[in-house]
Amino acid sequence: MEYLNTDNQKLSRENQALTKINERNELYIGQIERDLSDIRQVNDRNIKAKKKWRKATLYSVGINVIFLTSLIVLSR
């Protein structure tokens, strides 16, 4: 019986230690998830800004092509 009691105490201490580790890990995971959410928001804003510049560049190139083509056609 004494052996079972000692074994139970060891298991109880190990369980408490693992519970503390789990709590710490859960807090860490929560922090990482918040950081990831912040990073995603920043990335989304950056991607939207890049898309706007890409669209503006495409319009600018298109206008330049039309302008240069009309110059070539009119110069003949």
Side-chain angles (χ1 to χ4, degrees):
M1 189 69 166
E2 172 104 12
Y3 171 76
L4 292 176
N5 191 22
T6 304
D7 196 36
N8 188 32
Q9 289 175 352
K10 286 180 185 177
L11 290 173
S12 177
R13 283 193 300 272
E14 186 177 340
N15 188 29
Q16 289 174 354
L18 290 173
T19 300
K20 288 180 182 178
I21 291 171
N22 283 343
E23 289 172 355
R24 205 173 333 123
N25 286 344
E26 287 174 0
L27 290 173
Y28 183 63
I29 288 170
Q31 178 185 355
I32 290 173
E33 287 175 344
R34 286 188 298 277
D35 291 345
L36 181 60
S37 175
D38 293 342
I39 290 170
R40 283 184 179 149
Q41 288 176 356
V42 169
N43 282 343
D44 287 343
R45 277 186 263 139
N46 289 341
I47 287 172
K48 287 179 183 176
K50 286 180 182 179
K51 284 183 179 179
K52 287 179 183 177
W53 276 107
R54 185 180 302 141
K55 191 179 282 187
T57 303
L58 287 174
Y59 287 143
S60 174
V61 168
I63 290 170
N64 284 336
V65 167
I66 292 170
F67 177 71
L68 291 175
T69 304
S70 65
L71 283 179
I72 291 171
V73 170
L74 293 175
S75 67
R76 290 185 179 181

